[in-house]
Amino acid sequence: MFETATQGIITGILMGAIYALIALGLSIVFGIMNVTNFAHGDFVMLSMYLSFAVGSALAWDAVATPLITAPLMFLFGIITYYLLIDRTLRQMYVVQLAVTVGLQILMRSAALIIWQAQPRALQYSFIQGNIQIGDFQILTSRLFSAVVSLIFIAGMAYFLSKTWAGRAMRAASDDLGAASLMGVNYHKTYALTFAIGSSITALAGGLVMSFQQTDPVGGIRFGLLSWAVLALAGLGSLPGLIVAGIIVGVVESLTVSFFDPRSRLLGVYAIFILVLWLRPRGLFGRR
Amino acid sequence: MNVKNLFNPRNILILIGVGIALAIPLIFNASQYVMLLMTTVLLYAILASAWNIIGGMAGQLDLAAAAYLGLGAFTTGTLLIRWNITPWVGMFLGGLVATALAMLIGFPLFGFKVKELWYALSSSALVVVLQSLFMMWNEVGGPTEKYLPIGTSPWYSLRFNDYMPYYYLMLIILVVVLLVNRWIRYSKLGYSLLALGEDEDAVEVLGVNSQSSKLKALAIYAFICGVVGGIFASIYGYVHPAFFDTSMSMEIAILGIVGGMGFIYGPALAAIVMVSFREVLRASLGSQLAGLYLAVYAIILIVVALYQPRGIAPLVERGIKKAQTYFVELTRGRRADIKSH
């Protein structure tokens, strides 16, 4: 009982760090541009497929594939921004929903056309195996992914607060008009923001591919998971994002080990709904 | 109202539409495939029109159509399988079950003023939650299909060998749902809902209870989805947790948006145009590459949403206006007639 719980919490914390990374991409896009990207989970799905393609073509390890997939997803983000998102900024809110859901259907069917319906996985990663601490096991691939995720989130916090581009992004989120007067070109800033958000999913996708497989409808799970993390964390706090990611990961992992693997998302949604009712701006949100 | 006004382009269009809808089974009866396709189109038209009440009028971006549809299907199916209760009763009970859950969810959500994105996400999550629950609930759902018995009389068990009865049943429901839409639109509830969409706080000050208005809209929408779910189960002859389909729910909302929010016939029109188009694409492209038809369909959805953000109904309105002008001039009407429309 105690052992199962501890093991579940350990697994949950490690997964939670990756969920925080996935939610970071969404948080940047939603927090800075106020764009609701319903296709975010499918960006992760596409990234995982790209990792699969690169990893199997070059016989690379999954965790190395973001070296190629991140620039690709960056490009994909820029194209998506100028082709679709930029045109929805001045429209009614529902147009954004319609366009990003359309994008979601498009990405899903594109994955189905290119990689067919069966799940795809890469060869075992070099970081396979596990570390034994007492009675508990830690999968090395997950530990590695969690550490990389945390380092990346810290790096992103530095980028947003210390570099000119990062400051421009935050300024545009605080007051678009004033930022424009200070010489921030919001089209460029938004394109950069969206592309960064999109390339973060490439990193996350590569990490997840080191221990999971991907299929064309896998985006639903990552999409709703990252919205749940974001709702819990609130906007504007990166440490909050990590805590929220870990809470979601632990709840998911405990539901699986104590209740039923098929119910893995139920606990997560219970939290999600409760947060919406009781604390709409999240645990750490500034607005 | 004089006789001349009865023959305005709008009424003629409605008459032609109803005529075509009634005649379609007589033309295509040879092909069951086309009948199923047309029945599916009507199903989407009903759901999108029902969505118009909560989405278009109440302004709540609901993404849970399939949750209520699935509840209706499982209620109807389980009642028939276990207790041999006819779907004619089951579908209404299904509607009530769907409404009950909607109230349970909607009461706190509207009370806490959960709106826009967050309402959309929580309703979308509801579909996934129900799917997981019914996947685990083996007595009613479970991973294998539960088949509805045909029984002695197809009329009792609502299980026909061909799709024609379903088609007419769906057509009747569509007409009813459109009339309900029209009735709500010009009732006190409709005006309250539209005003809430403009400025919720101001309207509340004037004495409109936003929570109860939205709850009424949600209840009507959930009830329609639940009833249609009962027929959905009868058409397919089984119930399965895959009925709780997030993509379908999103598609319903998109049809409502693309149709033109707030236009009574908009969502139904969008469903008829887009879903027929999707099925034609599926028939012509589906055999070559799985997923290709959906990709083309998605691109068209995106293009319509980007370049016709108010929906396709305003385009039709413009067409009708032009026809009206032409018509009035043709029958030597005065200019004042045009303005009165």
Side-chain angles (χ1 to χ4, degrees):
Chain A
M1 176 71 192
F2 172 73
E3 260 114 60
T4 322
T6 317
Q7 183 67 54
I9 290 171
I10 292 173
T11 315
I13 290 173
L14 297 182
M15 277 314 280
I18 302 172
Y19 293 161
L21 179 65
I22 294 174
L24 175 67
L26 186 66
S27 171
I28 286 177
V29 169
F30 182 60
I32 290 175
M33 304 160 65
N34 203 15
V35 163
T36 46
N37 183 6
F38 269 84
H40 183 72
D42 297 81
F43 276 67
V44 180
M45 182 270 300
L46 181 67
S47 297
M48 288 171 74
Y49 270 117
L50 287 179
S51 282
F52 166 75
V54 170
S56 51
L58 302 178
W60 277 15
D61 195 273
V63 292
T65 54
L67 290 177
I68 291 181
T69 60
L72 284 178
M73 287 306 286
F74 192 89
L75 201 65
F76 181 73
I78 287 185
I79 294 170
T80 310
Y81 176 78
Y82 279 113
L83 221 52
L84 305 178
I85 309 294
D86 193 58
R87 295 164 199 250
T88 66
L89 293 177
R90 286 204 182 75
Q91 301 284 8
M92 280 184 302
Y93 170 75
V94 290
V95 173
Q96 216 164 63
L97 172 91
V99 168
T100 53
V101 171
L103 178 65
Q104 183 178 41
I105 303 176
L106 183 62
M107 289 169 73
R108 229 171 259 178
S109 42
L112 189 63
I113 292 170
I114 302 171
W115 290 286
Q116 280 86 45
Q118 75 263 34
R120 302 283 184 166
L122 277 173
Q123 294 290 314
Y124 280 129
S125 172
F126 76 90
I127 46 173
Q128 214 61 37
N130 48 48
I131 301 168
Q132 194 82 22
I133 301 174
D135 291 336
F136 308 113
Q137 291 186 340
I138 298 174
L139 284 170
T140 328
S141 58
R142 298 200 182 195
L143 181 66
F144 180 84
S145 303
V147 170
V148 172
S149 299
L150 293 180
I151 292 173
F152 189 83
I153 294 173
M156 189 48 80
Y158 178 83
F159 170 77
L160 285 176
S161 59
K162 294 291 190 298
T163 63
W164 197 87
R167 287 179 178 188
M169 281 159 65
R170 288 194 303 138
S173 116
D174 283 341
D175 188 338
L176 192 56
S180 303
L181 290 176
M182 296 292 130
V184 173
N185 177 343
Y186 87 89
H187 289 290
K188 273 188 190 161
T189 308
Y190 277 10
L192 177 69
T193 310
F194 197 79
I196 289 177
S198 154
S199 51
I200 288 174
T201 65
L203 177 61
L207 294 175
V208 175
M209 269 314 264
S210 70
F211 56 88
Q212 263 182 18
Q213 53 188 19
T214 178
D215 62 85
V217 292
I220 297 177
R221 180 173 155 241
F222 288 114
L224 285 168
L225 265 175
S226 41
W227 281 110
V229 173
L230 195 57
L232 195 58
L235 288 174
S237 156
L238 292 186
L241 207 61
I242 296 173
V243 175
I246 286 174
I247 292 176
V248 167
V250 168
V251 168
E252 187 195 42
S253 162
L254 289 181
T255 327
V256 169
S257 40
F258 280 107
F259 196 49
D260 191 324
R262 288 171 294 181
S263 67
R264 65 184 313 153
L265 291 176
L266 293 185
V268 175
Y269 294 136
I271 299 184
F272 179 54
I273 297 280
L274 280 179
V275 168
L276 286 189
W277 289 351
L278 304 178
R279 202 172 162 80
R281 66 192 169 85
L283 296 179
F284 312 95
R286 61 189 164 105
R287 59 178 151 109
Chain B
M1 181 190 268
N2 58 34
V3 180
K4 212 190 260 174
N5 276 352
L6 267 181
F7 286 98
N8 68 42
R10 186 181 297 272
N11 287 354
I12 290 175
L13 269 182
I14 293 174
L15 215 66
I16 292 174
V18 173
I20 292 175
L22 286 173
I24 273 179
L26 306 176
I27 305 167
F28 290 109
N29 199 26
S31 161
Q32 286 296 310
Y33 167 73
V34 176
M35 286 306 300
L36 175 60
L37 193 154
M38 298 310 294
T39 312
T40 310
V41 169
L42 287 182
L43 171 85
Y44 275 85
I46 293 169
L47 294 175
S49 303
W51 185 88
N52 195 34
I53 299 169
I54 184 77
M57 293 190 216
Q60 297 288 325
L61 275 173
D62 192 283
L63 298 178
Y68 305 125
L69 178 104
L71 277 180
F74 270 99
T75 309
T76 310
T78 309
L79 287 176
L80 182 65
I81 294 169
R82 302 213 143 201
W83 295 288
N84 197 26
I85 294 171
T86 172
W88 293 103
V89 176
M91 66 172 96
F92 290 104
L93 292 177
L96 289 179
V97 170
T99 310
L101 183 81
M103 294 298 91
L104 213 64
I105 302 282
F107 188 78
L109 277 183
F110 295 146
F112 288 114
K113 294 216 165 38
V114 175
K115 265 186 277 195
E116 298 185 338
L117 165 70
W118 301 107
Y119 180 85
L121 286 169
S122 61
S123 60
S124 186
L126 179 67
V127 183
V128 186
V129 165
L130 284 175
Q131 189 181 41
S132 313
L133 284 177
F134 275 83
M135 208 55 132
M136 290 187 288
W137 191 10
N138 281 322
E139 289 77 25
V140 172
T144 50
E145 290 92 349
K146 292 255 192 299
Y147 287 93
L148 308 192
I150 293 179
T152 45
S153 149
W155 281 99
Y156 184 80
S157 57
L158 201 63
R159 300 274 286 112
F160 301 103
N161 283 326
D162 72 312
Y163 292 113
M164 192 154 73
Y166 297 124
Y167 175 84
Y168 281 115
L169 192 55
M170 288 295 202
L171 191 60
I172 293 169
I173 295 179
L174 177 61
V175 171
V176 171
V177 171
L178 288 176
L179 288 175
V180 167
N181 256 285
R182 197 184 152 78
W183 170 69
I184 294 174
R185 173 66 186 79
Y186 296 108
S187 71
K188 180 168 175 278
L189 177 62
Y191 288 115
S192 311
L193 290 176
L194 283 183
L196 284 174
E198 297 289 322
D199 187 340
E200 189 161 334
D201 297 328
V203 178
E204 290 224 305
V205 171
L206 293 175
V208 174
N209 184 338
S210 78
Q211 190 183 17
S212 90
S213 303
K214 286 178 186 171
L215 272 179
K216 280 179 199 160
L218 182 64
I220 298 168
Y221 158 70
F223 184 77
I224 296 169
C225 292
V227 170
V228 172
I231 305 171
F232 189 75
S234 301
I235 293 177
Y236 285 91
Y238 64 86
V239 285
H240 188 267
F243 285 5
F244 298 103
D245 183 351
T246 42
S247 311
M248 183 189 188
S249 311
M250 286 191 178
E251 207 185 325
I252 299 295
I254 292 202
L255 289 175
I257 296 167
V258 165
M261 287 174 87
F263 289 91
I264 290 164
Y265 62 87
L269 182 68
I272 290 168
V273 173
M274 297 300 291
V275 179
S276 319
F277 186 71
R278 187 190 70 186
E279 294 302 318
V280 169
L281 279 179
R282 192 213 293 268
S284 50
L285 299 177
S287 55
Q288 294 156 24
L289 260 180
L292 183 60
Y293 80 96
L294 271 182
V296 176
Y297 178 65
I299 291 171
I300 287 162
L301 267 183
I302 292 173
V303 169
V304 172
L306 279 181
Y307 291 98
Q308 198 56 41
R310 302 219 143 263
I312 50 181
L315 281 182
V316 178
E317 289 294 309
R318 215 180 304 155
I320 290 179
K321 275 250 166 63
K322 264 189 194 151
Q324 225 152 18
T325 318
Y326 178 76
F327 212 79
V328 169
E329 276 169 6
L330 204 69
T331 52
R332 278 173 293 159
R334 300 180 307 277
R335 298 297 293 176
D337 276 7
I338 307 167
K339 283 188 185 131
S340 72
H341 284 296

